[in-house]
Amino acid sequence: MLKRVCCGTAILQLSLALGGCAVDAEDPASGESAVPFGRGGSVPAMDMKILAAGAGVPSVWGPADKSFLGTSTTSASRVYFTGHRGIVSEVFYPVLDTVNTVDLQFLVGDTAKTFVDEEKLQSYTVTQPDKRSMRWQATTTNSGHNWRITKTVFTDPGRNALIQRVKFDALNGRNVTQFNLYLLHNPAMDNSGAGDTSRTVTAGTRTMLVASENSRFSALAISRAWKAGAGGLPMVSSGFVGETDGWTDLLGGTSDKTMSWRNDLASGGNVAQMGWIDLGASAVTSVSFDVVLAFGASQNEATTTANATLGSNLATLQTTYDNGWKTYTNGLDSQGGTADDQYYLAAMSLKTIQDKSNGAMIAGMGTPWGESNGDANNGGYHLVWPRDLYKFAGALVTAGDTASGTSVVNYLFNTLQQTSDCGTSEYNAPGCPQGYSRVGRFPQNAWISGWQYWQGTQMDEQAMPIILAWRLGPSVYNPLWPKIKKTADYIVNVGPWTQQERWEENSGYSPSTIAAEIAGLVCAATIARANGDATSAARYLAAADYWQQSVDRWTFTTTGYHGDGRYYIRINPSARGNTGTGPQVYNPVSGPDAAISVTHGNGGGTHDQRYIIDGGFLELVRMGVKRPDDPSIVATLPEYDAILKRTIPGKGDAWFRYNYDGYGERIGGGAYDGLTGRGRLWPIFTVERGMFKIAGTGVGSDGSPFLTAVKAFSTPQGFIPEQVWSQPTNVTGWNVDLPAGATAGTPTGSMSPLNWAMGEYISLLASIRANKVVDIPSVVCGRYNACVVPPAAGEVAVSINVTANTVVGQHVYVTGNTAALGNWNTDLGIPVDPTTYPVWKNRVNLPASSSVQYKYYRKNANGSVTWESLPGGGNRTMSTPASGTLTRNDTVTW
């Protein structure tokens, strides 16, 4: 069967010899037939172009502000979808880091050829018909042009296919014969907008548009017929975007606002597909039909899947899809009935972004400012960041989905953790296939497969997988102990200095990073002791304690530029000293009061380290490392709020990341370009502040205003964005504008939803209900007197109050003849808190009805130990009661 094709360079020479495009006799991709080209009849002739490979305008990704997203809960369906302004945008298959579609939308014209409307530019609403399902209904309307499109979007639970059940309504006395309806699809096969091929294929009784690159194939099919053109041939076409695609055909400069072109093949470029849908000759006011976008590893697989889905009872598939989500949500913790619709949406959104192949979870289903990013940024946010993963996997655990959390931990240690040493340093790893690696290290971010994307090392990302493993308990962490040990050893060997802090821009000593490292090591010590490795446990706790006792000395300035000059700085950019013996090896070369400049990423400029402040210090409380009333924490709050907090009228409080943050739209609203941007307000900091409030008061309702604000910053669908617009403001000389057309408190062009933020909503709501922060690691806050850990069965709580005089750099501990006190190991003993010096305090749970021997000692700055002096050199004793509590008020003589 003959066909006309738009040509790539491989057949360009032959095409010219023939005086047009090449003439082929068969489709080499499969046994299916290609539809022949025809012209004449009632359809205008096609203006054929001969195009080189790679033709078309450069491809870009879809906008990052999503109005819907979803997937089936079944493992049989590996299709994950998103929507923007009511149309389908990025579709991922077969894994969550691989985009295959940029957008799929309708174009609506009239038979009088006076207009063509793009669906995504019209007024729209997007809702969940069932609040316990990730099925979406999008309604787009142009009442001025008298039409409405209503779509129900979900996936086939048993196949790799996206389904849209569509109803087209003619309004205001019109009927469907007065409209031309087109379906426009922009593929981006195998995570690339360039290099695609699109062709017309007949599979069974249906004409489909097939796109492909490498081993990724999609097939676009509908339940109605396509409009017939010359010789009765269907009006479907493949072209290069901006040159011979359907949009250019309908809306280009010389267009007559009706489909004229029929290209059966476009090969090797940024392709787009379009088909003209036959609405019938009956003067009815509405027409319903179904659209299926199916995927496969071959053309035959994709087209077979499309036919199978369209041949199924779609109402039954919809019910099966809904029931899968209802089963999932029914298994979640309702938080005593306080869980609201947004809580369930957050949980379902997080479950949606868990890859079904190995349990990995991505940061976001899209690319921030995607419409200004092309193939050069093929990772976007659809990558795995261990830090983000810890946050939202932990939220799912809080929501009652421990299975997903367990899957994540196993992914982290069995797939993502590195197992060999390669490369000199970060971004200097010649000859290393996956880039820089170290045994036990987690990469900055990675593809679903575990293949490293960027090369940086962030030490909080080393610690957080350990914390998550600890939280899930012995059945999860004991089998992983050999791998957990590798990461814990890496933390001790490299930390607390980090090559990048949590904003991925600067190296040095970061309060938020150090908080995570301390917590990770304490959790690792608990796991080590459970596995009989007291030597490793002692090493981890010795480092964790020293870092906990030194974090102020490393990151809290007393000579700052703001307020009273006393606050935690964002980061101390010092290198690690690596000198001395014992704990001194971890010390920085210079402290937080030194006049040292640091250059911040994204065009933020160069500033004295004491000039830049962020909210990272709150992680010291969230990780259980410090009490919320710690003097340094309390001292930092006024500067943090005065500099970075802004109140959006009618919505609530939000905070900037830090002063001189350039990660955001440019002044005037242009997309972020990495050079001259302005970071806006982040809702996750509203949650962090709400968590801090609850930690400080123990009253859950104190977090309610922060939850209310986060809801106000959400989209109408309930998605929480990465950033929201601020009102015009000046942040220590850094001007931040509100561009024309933007509304303060609504999402910017960055990621929406940000999965980290969705997880934080769950965590805050659960903490409000629990009257405590639910994800503070109890082994950490218990060790550092930052919380009260209830005694387990067979234990009683013992309050330690000991009066002891020390000098700067010395810290007091207690040990004894029980495991809870360290069994006389001075690296496993319990530190006592100097907040009320000279009285040191802590609380420890000891065996009930027992006679316990114990003794105090101090650790000196060099790690050496001095025991208290007791008559005869003996030990202290206490007898614990059978129940209740015991208080010890002791005085130490050295």
Side-chain angles (χ1 to χ4, degrees):
M1 182 177 290
L2 297 178
K3 66 178 181 177
R4 294 291 292 266
V5 298
C6 283
C7 309
T9 51
I11 54 176
L12 177 58
Q13 193 171 25
L14 172 62
S15 302
L16 293 173
L18 293 172
C21 285
V23 180
D24 289 342
E26 63 180 356
D27 179 356
S30 75
E32 295 147 340
S33 300
V35 177
F37 165 74
R39 67 173 72 230
S42 61
V43 179
M46 180 186 74
D47 178 14
M48 176 61 69
K49 292 187 178 181
I50 300 174
L51 303 173
V57 300
S59 61
V60 295
W61 303 115
D65 52 324
K66 304 305 183 184
S67 52
F68 56 83
L69 54 88
T71 189
S72 170
T73 58
T74 60
S75 60
S77 176
R78 300 293 177 91
V79 175
Y80 314 80
F81 64 90
T82 69
H84 166 71
R85 288 192 55 83
I87 72 163
V88 169
S89 54
E90 278 101 342
V91 181
F92 299 79
Y93 161 85
V95 288
L96 267 163
D97 59 20
T98 304
V99 179
N100 292 277
T101 289
V102 172
D103 62 55
L104 175 61
Q105 65 169 315
F106 291 100
L107 302 179
V108 183
D110 64 334
T111 53
K113 304 179 183 180
T114 65
F115 72 85
V116 173
D117 295 332
E118 292 185 69
E119 182 189 7
K120 68 182 177 184
L121 301 181
Q122 314 308 311
S123 298
Y124 75 99
T125 61
V126 172
T127 60
Q128 290 171 277
D130 186 325
K131 292 294 187 181
R132 299 297 179 267
S133 173
M134 294 300 275
R135 172 171 56 90
W136 297 88
Q137 181 172 292
T139 301
T140 307
T141 307
N142 187 326
S143 57
H145 283 164
N146 308 301
W147 62 265
R148 178 175 62 231
I149 296 173
T150 304
K151 299 175 301 189
T152 298
V153 188
F154 58 102
T155 60
D156 185 334
R159 304 179 185 90
N160 293 316
L162 174 69
I163 299 169
Q164 293 188 85
R165 309 211 72 185
V166 185
K167 182 184 179 187
F168 178 81
D169 288 304
L171 306 177
N172 306 321
R174 289 357 185 235
N175 66 71
V176 299
T177 66
Q178 296 170 289
F179 293 91
N180 295 329
L181 183 63
Y182 308 96
L183 183 61
L184 180 68
H185 178 220
N186 181 197
M189 303 306 297
D190 203 20
N191 214 36
S192 167
D196 291 343
T197 293
S198 176
R199 68 182 72 236
T200 301
V201 168
T202 298
T205 61
R206 291 189 175 92
T207 298
M208 302 184 191
L209 288 161
V210 172
S212 63
E213 184 173 355
N214 302 322
S215 61
R216 300 284 183 265
F217 290 79
S218 69
L220 181 64
I222 61 173
S223 61
R224 293 187 68 86
W226 302 108
K227 192 82 168 180
L233 297 174
M235 286 301 295
V236 292
S237 184
S238 300
F240 294 118
V241 174
E243 295 179 355
T244 56
D245 65 318
W247 187 95
T248 304
D249 187 1
L250 296 179
L251 292 167
T254 60
S255 171
D256 63 354
K257 297 182 173 58
T258 192
M259 185 175 181
S260 305
W261 300 340
R262 270 199 73 260
N263 305 323
D264 292 328
L265 174 68
S267 179
N270 179 17
V271 302
Q273 304 169 328
M274 191 171 79
W276 187 348
I277 300 170
D278 191 343
L279 297 178
S282 177
V284 295
T285 59
S286 69
V287 170
S288 294
F289 58 95
D290 301 303
V291 176
V292 166
L293 181 63
F295 297 90
S298 67
Q299 178 174 295
N300 183 64
E301 182 180 340
T303 57
T304 299
T305 298
N307 273 325
T309 296
L310 278 173
S312 300
N313 185 321
L314 297 190
T316 299
L317 295 185
Q318 176 179 306
T319 299
T320 303
Y321 181 92
D322 286 348
N323 287 342
W325 280 111
K326 289 177 182 178
T327 299
Y328 177 74
T329 55
N330 286 341
L332 297 178
D333 188 338
S334 70
Q335 305 300 330
T338 64
D340 58 9
D341 287 341
Q342 191 160 349
Y343 169 94
Y344 285 102
L345 174 63
M348 290 189 291
S349 297
L350 295 180
K351 188 63 178 174
T352 293
I353 55 90
Q354 182 168 39
D355 193 86
K356 298 168 187 177
S357 67
N358 59 15
M361 299 175 76
I362 59 173
M365 290 180 73
T367 300
W369 303 283
E371 63 273 31
S372 65
N373 284 267
D375 287 356
N377 182 5
N378 65 348
Y381 274 10
H382 46 96
L383 299 165
V384 178
W385 271 266
R387 174 181 45 260
D388 296 50
L389 184 50
Y390 163 80
K391 290 287 187 177
F392 44 68
L396 282 183
V397 173
T398 295
D401 182 5
T402 57
S404 289
T406 300
S407 180
V408 163
V409 169
N410 282 299
Y411 166 79
L412 283 164
F413 285 99
N414 293 326
T415 299
L416 197 58
Q417 186 192 58
Q418 295 176 335
T419 58
S420 64
D421 293 339
C422 194
T424 304
S425 64
E426 292 84 357
Y427 296 95
N428 183 11
C432 301
Q434 292 196 41
Y436 176 72
S437 68
R438 290 293 182 268
V439 172
R441 173 182 176 267
F442 290 99
Q444 176 183 356
N445 55 13
W447 300 103
I448 296 292
S449 66
W451 193 275
Q452 185 170 213
Y453 187 70
W454 289 337
Q455 304 288 305
T457 300
Q458 299 171 11
M459 294 305 294
D460 59 346
E461 294 191 322
Q462 315 308 310
M464 287 173 172
I466 300 174
I467 303 170
L468 184 60
W470 167 84
R471 186 179 180 191
L472 286 161
S475 65
V476 174
Y477 63 62
N478 282 339
L480 293 170
W481 162 238
K483 296 182 178 182
I484 291 172
K485 182 180 185 302
K486 287 182 171 66
T487 299
D489 288 343
Y490 179 73
I491 294 171
V492 173
N493 292 336
V494 176
W497 180 90
T498 184
Q499 194 261 340
Q500 292 179 356
E501 38 67 83
R502 70 172 177 168
W503 304 133
E504 311 196 289
E505 296 169 2
N506 294 99
S507 63
Y509 290 74
S510 153
S512 63
T513 300
I514 294 171
E517 291 173 294
I518 294 167
L521 288 178
V522 173
C523 290
T526 303
I527 298 170
R529 295 178 73 176
N531 285 272
D533 189 348
T535 300
S536 291
R539 181 170 181 245
Y540 303 154
L541 288 179
D545 289 352
Y546 186 73
W547 299 355
Q548 192 268 349
Q549 294 154 6
S550 303
V551 64
D552 284 12
R553 181 165 55 87
W554 294 338
T555 65
F556 184 87
T557 184
T558 59
T559 61
Y561 292 91
H562 312 297
D564 64 0
R566 297 174 51 81
Y567 48 83
Y568 286 103
I569 58 176
R570 176 192 166 198
I571 193 165
N572 172 0
S574 173
R576 195 172 71 161
N578 289 321
T579 59
T581 59
Q584 289 86 348
V585 71
Y586 303 116
N587 288 336
V589 172
S590 58
D593 289 328
I596 294 176
S597 294
V598 55
T599 299
H600 297 268
N602 307 304
T606 301
H607 309 275
D608 188 298
Q609 63 171 334
R610 296 165 294 177
Y611 201 70
I612 307 299
I613 188 170
D614 79 341
F617 71 100
L618 294 176
E619 287 289 278
L620 292 164
V621 176
R622 183 79 174 268
M623 288 292 181
V625 173
K626 280 185 174 285
R627 298 167 58 92
D629 62 354
D630 181 273
S632 297
I633 299 288
V634 173
T636 307
L637 290 172
E639 287 81 8
Y640 177 54
D641 286 348
I643 294 170
L644 300 180
K645 184 177 82 171
R646 296 295 184 272
T647 300
I648 305 298
K651 292 184 179 289
D653 295 337
W655 282 258
F656 293 102
R657 283 203 308 178
Y658 56 86
N659 47 329
Y660 288 90
D661 178 16
Y663 185 59
E665 277 88 348
R666 291 170 287 166
I667 293 292
Y672 165 75
D673 63 4
L675 300 174
T676 58
R678 293 292 188 273
R680 268 66 181 198
L681 301 169
W682 290 57
I684 57 170
F685 303 134
T686 301
V687 175
E688 289 185 354
R689 192 52 183 278
M691 292 293 213
F692 174 77
K693 186 71 172 180
I694 295 171
T697 66
V699 178
S701 60
D702 285 347
S704 295
F706 301 91
L707 191 76
T708 299
V710 171
K711 289 173 72 74
F713 297 139
S714 303
T715 69
Q717 294 76 38
F719 294 131
I720 307 170
E722 180 181 70
Q723 298 183 47
V724 297
W725 296 109
S726 70
Q727 294 171 313
T729 189
N730 185 290
V731 185
T732 63
W734 188 242
N735 289 319
V736 180
D737 70 332
L738 179 63
T743 302
T746 63
T748 71
S750 61
M751 198 70 237
S752 178
L754 180 69
N755 292 323
W756 181 348
M758 298 298 278
E760 289 286 67
Y761 186 89
I762 292 172
S763 299
L764 179 55
L765 185 144
S767 298
I768 290 171
R769 185 243 175 171
N771 292 306
K772 66 176 183 179
V773 179
V774 294
D775 56 8
I776 292 180
S778 60
V779 291
V780 182
C781 61
R783 182 169 184 81
Y784 298 120
N785 195 37
C787 67
V788 175
V789 179
E795 294 180 340
V796 294
V798 177
S799 295
I800 302 292
N801 303 300
V802 54
T803 301
N805 293 313
T806 58
V807 298
V808 173
Q810 294 177 336
H811 291 269
V812 177
Y813 286 73
V814 59
T815 188
N817 65 345
T818 71
L821 291 176
N823 283 323
W824 301 115
N825 185 325
T826 55
D827 283 330
L828 297 177
I830 304 300
V832 275
D833 180 15
T835 300
T836 57
Y837 183 87
V839 179
W840 303 65
K841 296 182 178 182
N842 209 333
R843 175 184 167 109
V844 61
N845 296 322
L846 297 177
S849 303
S850 299
S851 177
V852 177
Q853 295 186 41
Y854 69 103
K855 197 170 186 177
Y856 297 101
Y857 60 99
R858 71 184 182 205
K859 276 193 175 182
N860 301 307
N862 62 3
S864 63
V865 168
T866 301
W867 289 95
E868 67 170 316
S869 177
L870 292 172
N875 301 321
R876 298 177 184 268
T877 61
M878 70 174 97
S879 296
T880 59
S883 61
T885 61
L886 176 68
T887 299
R888 302 299 299 175
N889 296 306
D890 297 320
T891 300
V892 164
T893 301
W894 304 112

